Every structure is written in C-alpha cells, then in structure tokens.
Amino acid sequence: MFIKTIPSVARTGDFFLGLLQRANTLSHVTQIQSQILHHRLQTHIPIVTKLAQKLFDFGSTNHALKIFFLIPKPDLFLFNVLIKGLAANNSALSAISLFSHLRGTDLTPDDFSYTFVLSAAESLGNSRVGMLLHGMAIVDGFGSDLFVGSVLVDMYFKLWREELAEKVFDRLPERDTILCNTMISGFVRNCCFKDGIRIFGDMVSGVGPKFDVTTVISVLPAIAELQELRLGMESQCLAMKFGFHSDVSVLTGLIALYSKCGDVKTAMLIFRDIPLNDLISCNAMISGLTGNGEIESSVKLFNQWLQSRGRVNSSTIVGLIPVYSPFGHLSLTNCIHGFAIKSGFVVCPPISTALTTVYCRLNEMESARQLFDESSDKTLASWNAMVAGYTQNGLTETAVSLFHQMLSSSFCPNPVTVTSILSACAQLGALSLGKWVHNLIKSKNFESNVFVSTALIDMYAKCGNIKEARRLFELIPAKNEVTWNTMISGYGLHGYGKEALAIFYEMLNSGISPTGVTFLSALYACSHAGLVREGEGIFHSMVHEYRFEPIAEHYACMVDILGRAGKLQEALNFIEGMPIEPGAPVWGALLGACKIHKDTDLAQLASQRLLELDPENMGYYVLMSNIYSAEKNYPQAASIRQIAKKRKLEKTPGCTLIEIGQTPHVFTSGDWSHPKSTAIYLELDRLMGKMKEAGFQAETITALHDVEEEEKELAMKVHSEKLAIAFGLISTEPGTEIRIIKNLRVCLDCHTATKFISKITERVIVVRDANRFHHFKDGECSCKDYW
C-alpha cells in the first residue's frame, strides 16, 4: 500500500499535506484519506482543501462534495476550490448551486469565486445564467473589477453574445493588455474580424494599453480571414520592430495569413526560415497548401514530416483534408480516412467532422452519414456538419429530422446550427417550422448574431413573409454585405423591384462595398419587375464604376431583363457582344423570353445552342415543345418530346405543398390520394362554376396534344396548385391567407385561375414557384403578369 512506503514520522497536518502533494492515483488519495480520518484531521481545513483538489484532479466529484459537507464552517478558499473543481468536472449546475450557497453565508465571494462560477455558466451554454451571475457580481462590488471583467468578456464571447462582451468592455474604467487580447480573440472566435482589428488598431495607436506578442498572435487570424494582405504585412513589420518575429507562434500565424491571402510562396519562405519547426507550424503550412488547392505539395510535406519526425496529431490530418477544395479529391479523402482509421485518429471529433464535411460537399451522403453514425464521441460541430450537409444537398427533410434528433440528444444548438436549419426551412418553405426555430433563437439569445439574423431574413423572405423579413432587417444595427444582399434578393423574389433597388442604393450610401452577389441580386430584382432602364444602369455601373468582371449569371440576368421586356433582338445583340462564350444560363434566359413573346424563330436558335451545351436538361425540351404547342404546331411539339424520350429524359413531376397548422400536405396533378379528395374536387367544381360566371376561360394554348378543347380544360383543371388552393379554402377560416409552394414554374392557366379565385373568395393567396413569389389579391397578382 502507498501509505506503508512512508517512514514512521509524526502524523501532523504538514505531513498529510506533503503526502497528498505526492499522491498520483485515486487509490493513493483514498488511502491517505483513511489515515486522515484515523488521526481525526477530517475537519482540518487546509488538509480537506488539498484532499478536495486531489479528488477533483482524478474526477471523483461526489467524493469531494461529501468531505466538503462534513466541514462545519468552510472558508472562502475551500468554497473556491469546490466551485472550480465542479466546473472543471462537468458539474456546472452544482458549481452554480454551491456559489449561491456561498452568497448565503457570512462569507463574501472574491474575484476568484466569480472567475470559477462564470466558467461554469460558460460550460452550461446558457447566457441567461451568465447574465444573472453578472448582475450578482455588480451587486457584490465587482462591476468595475478588471479581473472579473476580463472573465465576463471571455464568457460572453464563448456564449455567442459579443454585444454583451463589448458592453462590459466599454464600461470598465480601466483596461489592460490581457483584457484587450481577450476582446480580440473573442471577436475573432465570433467571426467579428473587423472589430478585432479595431481593438488592435487602438492598442497600436496608443489609445488602448500596450500590445504584446499575444496581441499580434490573436489578431493575425482576423487579418487572414479578411485577406487584408497589406495590413498583414504591416503587422509583420510591427512584430519585427518589437522583437516578436522570432516567436514561433507569430511565424505560424503569418504562415496562415499569407496562405489565406493566396501567397503560398511567402508562407513557405517563412516556414523554411523557422530554425526549428514544430508540429504546429508544420500543420499551418500543410493546411495553407491544402486551402490553396496545392494538394500534391501538401501531401508531400505531410509525408516528409511523417518520415522525419514520425509524429502527427489530429490538426495535421485535419489540415490535410481538402475541406475547401474537395472536388476531384474523393480518392485522397478516402486515403486520409483510411490513414485515420489505421492510426486511430478517426475517433478524434475534428477529423471525423472534417471528413464528414468533405463527403457532404462531394454529395457522398452515405459515406458522410456512416462516418457520423459510427462516431462514438459526437460533438456539436459534427452534428452541425451533418445537418448542413443535408441542407446543402437539398435533403432538407432529412436535415430537419436530424436537427430534432440532435435536440433530443441533449445537444444545445449554436448559431451555426440554427443558420443551417433556417436554410432548410427556406428551401422547404416551411414557415411554421421557421417560426418555431425563430422562437428557439429568441430563447437562446442568438438574434444579435448577424449571421443568424441574416438567415432569419432569408427564411421569412423565402417562406413568403417579406414584411417580417424587412422588420428584422431594420432591427440589425450592424449589417454586413450578406445581410444587405439577402434583403435585396428577398424583395426581388417577391417582385418588389423598386423596393429592392431602394435597399441597393441605401447599401451603396451606407459605405458597405457591394459584391458580385449584390449586383446579381439587384439585376434579378429588375428582371422580375420589368425595370429595363434601371437594370442597364446597374450593369453599366458594375462594370465601369466598380470594375467588376461579370460572370455568366450577370449576363444571363441582363438577357432576361431585355427578353422579358420584349426586346428580343437587343437581347440577342447583347449575347453576341459578350466577351465570354455564352453558356446555358444565357441561352436559357433567351429561350424563356421567346416563350413569353412567342418568337419561334429565335427560340429555335436558342434551343439549338442549349441542346449543344446541355443536352440532358429536360426543361429546355419542355420549353421548346410549349412554344410549338402555343402556335398549334402539335407535330413539331410531339417531335421535340420524342427526342427527349429517346434520350430517356423525364420531366420533373409538378407538385405543390401547403401547410395547414404545422402539417404539410403535398399534391400532384390529378391527385386523389388525399383523405379529403372528394371534398377538394367538389370545392374545385364549385370554384370553376363561379369563375366561368366571372368570365374565366381556361388557358389551353400550351396543351401538348391536338385534342378536344374540353379535354385540355380538364387536364388544366386538376393541376396540383389548384388542388392545394381548394384544400386550403376548405381547411381554413374565411379571410385566412393561403400560402402554397410549387416546385416548378406556375403555368399560365393556374396563374389566371388563381387571380379569379382570390377575387371570388376574397382571400390573399401567396404562391411560391420555382422562380419567384406571386401575391394574389382582389383578382390581381403582384407580378403584374410579368413572370
């Protein structure tokens, strides 16, 4: 036994303190405790304090608590040891409860008490608890304490409440280097890179406290993420001037910086100039090469390091995984996966999460899910990767299902989680689920996160509630370019072109630099609102004032703007004058315009180009067939269909979704599978009778065969959107707004019919099709028949 190895000496307090200090197993500690009890020293506070520390070191939380409660009057130091130990051993609630007990005694918590209990609140992941403890700190006189203030700042950042961290920082009467470094690293961790650089700038200019080597190390990732190469070079010069340039951590940060900015050569020079490279700098270089698509060089460096040093860690393998450039590297990913299994690293959460992410981006969803399911130690990041993967690959219902499974597994979502699930809601058009997620966001106090707020705007816009999207937009104090783009795009999606352009010009005046997506969103809004002159002006401004090189999507939008307005020859001239070879999106926009304006000759030219560029796209065959049908050239329409049939292409079947309460109902054309089908068709017959009385005539010009007009009308009558609207009418109270989502572009007949239905029933009907939203009210549509 451990105790028998000790020579016979007096069993005093100091003796047992020394013995506990040397104990290196839980068994040793319990043996010593039995001797402490034997010598009746179990209430000796210094011994009990040291005993509790040792028990916490070995994870024996309950044992430590038992000996604490045997002390009739513990001192503050013992309380602090217990609070710290509980927080460190995943017993956050117990730590907070013990802290509350401390405040009920005649003892007063000190700054260490608050440091340890705030750590517990942080691990609990609940900002409300953190705010409550913050209030207690103010009551106890620590509101201006620099040490406690630094801990509060760190806690709020880790709870994704950067606005509260900044408030604490702003209200502290004095600041030191440690506090400012905490602010910089917190901003970086929360992706507020410009704010981190702002604090750094204050320190360099002398407004704040002096900076140190940790400051430089903390700010370099922010500069790297923003790809501010010039600022990075200035920071490097600053590091040289103050003697920090020899620090391996600084050099490692510079390797990451130059790599993020695409200057791999300079990064490699810095790496090679480090006298004694460590694994961390090697990992940074491997990651830098991988991130710049230099996969062979990355693998070569990995092999060299493995052969010369023989030791890698999880970060080495994560850096090697082509997360940012996965396409074309499935076999490499498989090899890395195999190496991770063989070396035992696959159980490491960062590696399994990175591999899951790559498999998802390569649409290898079975491999991704298998890896995820086999992971015994799932983290929030791994759940997020899988939910995001399903969302990005259009498997939105599976993403939602996995999200619910995550919640039932006691994982608390973070802003990354809710951003992904809001994207799934937006794709599904699931407004009720989106509202539920919004309430979850409110309960977690994530609304202040600009990425979450932007995702909410996108969700409400794509689910048809553009007013709520605008309300949330106005509430965001510091909008980024993505927020502005989302609002512009949202208005464009609803056909509110003038409102979209008002936001666009407001963005330009706000000082936020537009991106290629900004101009694309503005042009898209113009195309759906018939704003030809405005669209031409924006395109000219993009090219000549902002010096943006247009991509295929920008050109396609301009063709769409001109084509929808009937300027087909101008659209063709624009295509012929393009400096790049026009692709399928450009010719597709022209073909769509030809259908609207029934220009068969130009349609033949566009379809010929499209069938050369994208012969497997069934949509182009359908468009061309419909153009011939509109001219009653049924043999040619049938010929186009026959070509598609020989190629074994199939048209995507049309379907329409409507939510009643929180239950989704999906209809297809001529659907009789719904339990209320009889009532739905009776309502549809009733509506058709009233519509014909009001002057409605079925639009049968695009019917695909030369058959009797009555048969064409019957085919149009049972389109999925009509069935969904009829079901909505019989399932909701009079006056209730009806929202439906169709997976394809709404047809002319259904568009006309919905206008009549909105007038007859005095209902607002909102339709989201594959292209945009239509708001029907009093017999009119928001698109002004321009879609």
Side-chain angles (χ1 to χ4, degrees):
M1 291 176 65
F2 173 74
I3 199 71
K4 289 182 178 178
T5 64
I6 306 300
S8 180
V9 294
R11 298 323 198 227
T12 63
D14 288 340
F15 165 75
F16 284 111
L17 286 171
L19 205 57
L20 285 167
Q21 184 67 40
R22 296 194 298 275
N24 52 25
T25 69
L26 180 59
S27 175
H28 292 165
V29 176
T30 54
Q31 289 177 53
I32 295 167
Q33 186 186 6
S34 68
Q35 289 295 312
I36 291 169
L37 289 168
H38 177 71
H39 288 84
R40 299 183 180 182
L41 293 171
Q42 66 270 23
T43 57
H44 189 285
I45 289 183
I47 290 178
V48 173
T49 302
K50 190 64 181 178
L51 181 60
Q53 282 180 327
K54 278 293 181 178
L55 288 169
F56 280 127
D57 288 345
F58 295 114
S60 189
T61 305
N62 291 334
H63 199 161
L65 276 172
K66 284 178 182 177
I67 64 166
F68 169 79
F69 287 118
L70 292 173
I71 304 298
K73 197 171 181 180
D75 64 4
L76 181 60
F77 187 71
L78 180 55
F79 265 106
N80 287 349
V81 166
L82 263 291
I83 295 167
K84 179 184 180 183
L86 289 167
N89 282 273
N90 301 316
S91 298
L93 288 173
S94 297
I96 294 166
S97 176
L98 188 61
F99 176 79
S100 299
H101 176 59
L102 165 63
R103 293 186 83 243
T105 68
D106 57 358
L107 298 172
T108 303
D110 62 6
D111 49 2
F112 286 104
S113 310
Y114 275 103
T115 298
F116 302 143
V117 77
L118 289 170
S119 171
E122 173 196 309
S123 64
L124 200 60
N126 192 320
S127 62
R128 291 183 188 276
V129 175
M131 292 167 71
L132 183 64
L133 292 169
H134 185 181
M136 291 179 182
I138 294 171
V139 170
D140 288 342
F142 292 100
S144 300
D145 186 271
L146 182 59
F147 183 63
V148 174
S150 295
V151 178
L152 280 165
V153 164
D154 189 52
M155 178 197 71
Y156 280 131
F157 273 124
K158 288 176 178 174
L159 294 173
W160 299 83
R161 297 300 303 273
E162 62 271 9
E163 81 288 357
L164 295 179
E166 195 161 14
K167 281 183 180 179
V168 173
F169 178 77
D170 289 339
R171 290 173 183 174
L172 286 171
E174 59 174 316
R175 298 164 187 169
D176 64 2
T177 303
I178 294 173
L179 173 64
C180 289
N181 290 349
T182 303
M183 284 294 293
I184 293 170
S185 60
F187 275 132
V188 172
R189 193 164 51 243
N190 284 259
C191 302
C192 303
F193 306 117
K194 290 181 180 178
D195 291 311
I197 292 170
R198 172 174 54 81
I199 300 292
F200 175 64
D202 289 343
M203 295 174 78
V204 171
S205 64
V207 174
K210 291 181 179 180
F211 64 92
D212 61 10
V213 65
T214 305
T215 316
V216 177
I217 294 167
S218 300
V219 80
L220 284 174
I223 301 170
E225 289 296 331
L226 293 176
Q227 298 183 11
E228 293 280 0
L229 183 56
R230 183 180 179 84
L231 180 58
M233 294 170 75
E234 290 172 355
S235 300
Q236 184 180 7
C237 292
L238 203 64
M240 288 178 174
K241 181 179 178 181
F242 285 86
F244 303 149
H245 201 261
S246 59
D247 188 287
V248 176
S249 296
V250 172
L251 294 173
T252 301
L254 289 169
I255 290 168
L257 166 71
Y258 281 106
S259 297
K260 286 273 187 180
C261 293
D263 189 354
V264 185
K265 288 184 179 179
T266 302
M268 187 60 83
L269 285 173
I270 294 171
F271 175 71
R272 287 173 178 164
D273 282 345
I274 298 175
L276 187 62
N277 271 304
D278 60 7
L279 184 58
I280 298 172
S281 60
C282 180
N283 290 350
M285 195 65 248
I286 289 171
S287 179
L289 290 166
T290 303
N292 281 277
E294 298 195 18
I295 307 298
E296 288 184 17
S297 299
S298 178
V299 173
K300 183 179 178 182
L301 179 58
F302 172 79
N303 287 327
Q304 286 174 348
W305 183 269
L306 197 61
Q307 290 168 12
S308 63
R309 306 293 177 92
R311 185 177 68 88
V312 296
N313 61 15
S314 60
S315 296
T316 321
I317 299 172
V318 170
L320 192 65
I321 298 169
V323 176
Y324 300 105
S325 53
F327 304 105
H329 297 298
L330 178 58
S331 61
L332 172 64
T333 303
N334 289 333
C335 288
I336 296 170
H337 189 176
F339 177 84
I341 293 171
K342 186 178 178 180
S343 57
F345 278 117
V346 76
V347 297
C348 183
I351 291 175
S352 60
T353 300
L355 287 169
T356 299
T357 301
V358 172
Y359 283 132
C360 287
R361 289 181 179 174
L362 293 171
N363 201 16
E364 296 286 331
M365 298 308 295
E366 286 186 14
S367 297
R369 186 57 188 262
Q370 183 180 349
L371 183 61
F372 174 79
D373 287 340
E374 289 175 354
S375 176
S376 58
D377 186 19
K378 293 181 180 65
T379 63
L380 182 57
S382 63
W383 284 97
N384 286 348
M386 202 67 238
V387 170
Y390 280 128
T391 302
Q392 290 156 8
N393 285 285
L395 302 168
T396 46
E397 291 181 2
T398 313
V400 171
S401 174
L402 188 65
F403 174 66
H404 284 299
Q405 188 181 330
M406 184 193 108
L407 295 179
S408 65
S409 300
S410 302
F411 275 88
C412 186
N414 67 6
V416 176
T417 323
V418 295
T419 299
S420 293
I421 209 65
L422 284 170
S423 176
C425 294
Q427 289 181 45
L428 284 170
L431 183 60
S432 59
L433 178 61
K435 287 180 175 178
W436 181 85
V437 176
H438 191 176
N439 287 331
L440 179 67
I441 287 165
K442 289 176 181 176
S443 71
K444 299 293 181 184
N445 294 297
F446 290 157
E447 279 186 303
S448 59
N449 183 289
V450 69
F451 301 102
V452 172
S453 298
T454 301
L456 276 169
I457 293 167
D458 185 58
M459 183 275 294
Y460 276 112
K462 288 178 179 173
C463 289
N465 195 338
I466 193 68
K467 288 183 179 179
E468 180 64 10
R470 179 60 186 265
R471 187 188 72 81
L472 291 170
F473 176 80
E474 295 297 343
L475 290 175
I476 300 176
K479 304 172 182 70
N480 61 20
E481 63 272 12
V482 181
T483 312
W484 288 97
N485 294 348
T486 302
M487 197 66 241
I488 295 166
S489 175
Y491 271 131
L493 190 65
H494 285 263
Y496 299 140
K498 291 183 179 178
E499 289 84 347
L501 294 191
I503 295 288
F504 171 70
Y505 290 119
E506 188 182 338
M507 175 185 178
L508 299 185
N509 293 331
S510 73
I512 299 286
S513 299
T515 64
V517 175
T518 311
F519 286 108
L520 188 62
S521 300
L523 290 170
Y524 176 86
C526 291
S527 75
H528 282 291
L531 304 175
V532 180
R533 184 174 55 82
E534 291 86 344
E536 289 176 328
I538 288 169
F539 188 85
H540 183 275
S541 172
M542 176 182 75
V543 175
H544 298 287
E545 291 180 36
Y546 289 91
R547 305 293 179 186
F548 272 96
E549 191 71 36
I551 59 174
E553 286 77 8
H554 293 114
Y555 289 116
C557 260
M558 277 308 301
V559 172
D560 198 45
I561 288 170
L562 296 168
R564 284 176 186 272
K567 300 186 175 186
L568 296 176
Q569 191 56 49
E570 285 186 39
L572 181 61
N573 294 340
F574 180 85
I575 293 172
E576 291 172 344
M578 283 170 54
I580 63 172
E581 191 67 28
V586 172
W587 290 112
L590 183 62
L591 181 60
C594 291
K595 178 181 180 294
I596 295 169
H597 299 287
K598 304 177 181 63
D599 190 324
T600 311
D601 293 335
L602 194 52
Q604 287 177 337
L605 170 65
S607 64
Q608 183 181 342
R609 295 286 189 275
L610 282 166
L611 296 181
E612 291 169 0
L613 291 165
D614 191 5
E616 302 302 311
N617 192 320
M618 181 62 182
Y620 302 141
Y621 295 90
V622 173
L623 263 178
M624 199 63 215
S625 175
N626 287 347
I627 289 169
Y628 283 123
S629 293
E631 290 192 335
K632 297 191 176 181
N633 189 346
Y634 300 115
Q636 195 63 35
S639 174
I640 293 289
R641 292 275 173 166
Q642 197 61 34
I643 293 170
K645 189 175 182 180
K646 284 181 180 179
R647 290 182 177 271
K648 296 183 179 179
L649 303 178
E650 292 184 2
K651 180 180 179 292
T652 303
C655 64
T656 302
L657 177 144
I658 182 170
E659 277 190 324
I660 302 297
Q662 295 187 0
T663 306
H665 301 263
V666 179
F667 293 89
T668 55
S669 184
D671 198 344
W672 276 90
S673 63
H674 197 278
K676 293 188 177 181
S677 288
T678 302
I680 291 168
Y681 279 91
L682 283 173
E683 175 68 8
L684 201 52
D685 285 336
R686 187 186 72 81
L687 286 171
M688 291 301 291
K690 286 184 171 292
M691 287 159 61
K692 286 186 176 180
E693 288 176 13
F696 171 74
Q697 289 185 327
E699 302 283 356
T700 59
I701 57 172
T702 58
L704 303 179
H705 302 290
D706 188 10
V707 294
E708 292 300 320
E709 197 71 17
E710 188 176 334
E711 291 182 50
K712 293 179 188 177
E713 285 192 26
L714 183 61
M716 295 293 186
K717 174 183 174 181
V718 293
H719 276 189
S720 62
E721 48 262 67
K722 292 192 182 80
L723 296 174
I725 291 170
F727 175 62
L729 290 170
I730 65 173
S731 304
T732 57
E733 295 295 322
T736 306
E737 183 176 279
I738 294 174
R739 297 170 184 267
I740 64 171
I741 299 169
K742 182 166 185 188
N743 64 329
L744 304 176
R745 184 179 181 272
V746 65
C747 75
L748 179 60
D749 181 70
C750 285
H751 191 269
T752 305
T754 308
K755 287 196 289 185
F756 273 85
I757 294 171
S758 72
K759 188 171 183 64
I760 291 167
T761 62
E762 297 182 346
R763 298 276 196 122
V764 173
I765 303 172
V766 180
V767 179
R768 181 180 121 181
D769 70 4
N771 291 345
R772 58 169 298 160
F773 274 92
H774 302 261
H775 295 256
F776 296 90
K777 185 179 180 181
D778 296 329
E780 294 184 354
C781 179
S782 60
C783 75
K784 309 296 182 189
D785 298 334
Y786 193 88
W787 90 102

